[in-house]
Amino acid sequence: ARFGKATARGEGLKAAMPKPDRKRPVAAVLLLLAAGQAFLGQPEHTTTSKRVTSLGRREGLLFGLAPLAEVLRPEPAVAESLAGKKVAVLGGSGFVGKRICEGLVAQGPKVVSLSRSGAPKLTAPWVSEVRWQSGDVLSTDLDRIMAGADAVISAIGTIGTADDETGNGATNEAAAKAARKANAKRFVLVSASKDVAEAGVDAIFGPYVKGKRRAEAAVAEQFGANGVILQPSFIYGGEEFSATPPRVAGWYGEKVESLLSTGIFRGVAAASPAALRLALSPPLAVEDVAAAAVAGAAGLAQGTLSNHDAIKAAR
């Protein structure tokens, strides 16, 4: 019996030990082969010019490095089912937050939302599946909200208020710190395109831009590779037009997105200064941004999704 227990403990220790990375020795061998192939190049004939020999060596290098690149390719993001798990959404009753909560409910996790307004005034069936909490991130007991959360998604933010830096920066700093303390696996932040700052918009919305960058830095510091940052330019959706924040209705935004996604507009945008590039960036449907956030919570998206195409691909 004792021997059996000791064996079981030994097996448990083996299971707990990290698996050796077999890619490194393989990569080293491939690198040596690539170097040899590059040095030797193609067989040199008496009539072959030096230029052809040099080309042969470069081709040999590319040929030899091909399997090396395949071995060192980063592992794809590991998807995890959210069913039965807990996901906390900050700003869940807002424009983007509502769609995030709706998308999460369809995946089966336990969803809790914290926002100043509490539950949204909607009658859709999914609304009753969310535990709505009313409160401010900077004054609410976040430990209670995030306890047991597998992932946290932040869609909180302000624009055009008296203190946009606090509304975007300090709030998300507190949220990221609390999520880390609660041992959440992932943190997803809905931020804003870097083109906003580069376009000079910070001259008008300086505190907003600074707050967003503080938020991104906090997520990177607290979660590293397990932090997902979405950087959309303009987000459209719903039935109404708005100036603050700038927003257009879904039917109109869909037409603009389709137009600005064509090759001619993309080419002009790529060659334009930041301000024009921002104006020509295809907007994103709120449903697409929400779907990318849900994908991030499940581990299907990683890192910083810095443009229209990256966010749509993460859905």
Side-chain angles (χ1 to χ4, degrees), residues 109-159:
K110 302 172 183 177
V111 183
V112 56
S113 165
L114 174 67
S115 63
R116 291 179 178 177
S117 58
K121 296 179 180 179
L122 298 173
T123 58
W126 65 266
V127 176
S128 61
E129 300 296 323
V130 178
R131 183 161 64 90
W132 303 96
Q133 299 288 315
S134 177
D136 189 296
V137 169
L138 295 178
S139 58
T140 300
D141 181 8
L142 295 180
D143 292 344
R144 177 177 57 85
I145 298 294
M146 297 184 183
D150 192 74
V152 176
I153 303 176
S154 176
I156 54 177
T158 62
I159 185 169

Side-chain angles (χ1 to χ4, degrees), residues 172-265:
N172 282 300
E173 288 171 341
K177 186 175 181 180
R180 180 66 176 174
K181 182 181 177 183
N183 294 317
K185 291 181 181 179
R186 300 181 182 87
F187 193 104
V188 182
L189 172 70
V190 180
S191 187
S193 171
K194 62 182 182 298
D195 284 341
V196 172
E198 295 176 3
V201 178
D202 54 339
I204 304 173
F205 297 110
Y208 168 83
V209 172
K210 188 174 181 180
K212 289 294 187 184
R213 296 302 166 253
R214 281 177 56 182
E216 293 180 5
V219 173
E221 178 184 356
Q222 297 294 335
F223 283 87
N226 292 317
V228 181
I229 299 173
L230 310 182
Q231 294 181 330
S233 53
F234 299 103
I235 304 176
Y236 68 85
E239 302 295 331
E240 299 179 355
F241 290 78
S242 169
T244 307
R247 187 173 299 147
V248 298
W251 64 269
Y252 184 85
E254 186 176 350
K255 296 181 183 298
V256 174
E257 180 184 11
S258 178
L259 178 65
L260 295 183
S261 294
T262 58
I264 185 170
F265 279 99

